[in-house]
Amino acid sequence: QVQLVQSGGGSAQPGGSLTLSCVASGFDFTTSHMSWYRQAPGKGREQVAMISNLGTVRDYVESVKGRFTISRDNSKNLLILQMNSLKPEDTGVYFCSRAPYYCFGHECPPGVNWGQGTQVTVSS
């Protein structure tokens, strides 16, 4: 059974930091490309960051470049999103996702599997 179990997130002030984690099971994590998505209130789901199966390729949406870092530990089946210099517009529900293949951007297909979602709220 494929599972993506998320943890972390919560509330932070503007300029603060939060870390999201996602532990995978039920599939070969080392051959899977992974993404983080977010869904802001009243908006569609947006792909925020993506990392290739060995971590050699990473992509970010323009709005988070230089602030967010996606990483993975294949020995632990662990995906991480480190979020620094948070802004109110980063508020939303964040999801980790297993990708069908490596594709970043609006024209890409949705993920094959999804985590349960984690709320991130940035406000003063």
Side-chain angles (χ1 to χ4, degrees), residues 2 11 13 21-22 29 31 52-53 55 57 77 91 93 99 112 114 124:
V2 173
S11 297
Q13 293 186 337
S21 298
C22 173
F29 187 71
T31 63
S52 62
N53 64 313
V57 181
N77 284 9
T91 294
V93 179
V112 175
W114 296 88
S124 54

Side-chain angles (χ1 to χ4, degrees), residues 41-71:
K43 295 188 177 180
R45 200 168 290 189
E46 173 187 39
Q47 191 181 23
V48 174
M50 188 169 195
I51 187 168
S52 62
N53 64 313
L54 298 181
T56 53
V57 181
R58 309 180 196 202
D59 282 293
Y60 299 92
V61 69
E62 192 65 33
S63 60
V64 307
K65 283 182 180 178
R67 301 189 297 119
F68 289 14
T69 301
I70 187 171
S71 62

Side-chain angles (χ1 to χ4, degrees), residues 36-117:
W36 286 100
Y37 287 75
R38 70 182 174 195
Q39 188 162 15
K43 295 188 177 180
R45 200 168 290 189
E46 173 187 39
Q47 191 181 23
V48 174
M50 188 169 195
I51 187 168
S52 62
N53 64 313
L54 298 181
T56 53
V57 181
R58 309 180 196 202
D59 282 293
Y60 299 92
V61 69
E62 192 65 33
S63 60
V64 307
K65 283 182 180 178
R67 301 189 297 119
F68 289 14
T69 301
I70 187 171
S71 62
R72 64 192 295 160
D73 184 342
N74 284 354
S75 69
K76 299 178 181 178
N77 284 9
L78 177 63
L79 179 72
I80 293 172
L81 186 67
Q82 177 64 43
M83 304 182 291
N84 298 328
S85 302
L86 284 163
K87 302 177 180 181
E89 51 264 43
D90 294 320
T91 294
V93 179
Y94 284 69
F95 300 86
C96 62
S97 177
R98 176 190 180 196
Y101 53 87
Y102 197 94
C103 183
F104 187 80
H106 295 293
E107 303 301 320
C108 296
V112 175
N113 307 107
W114 296 88
Q116 80 275 20

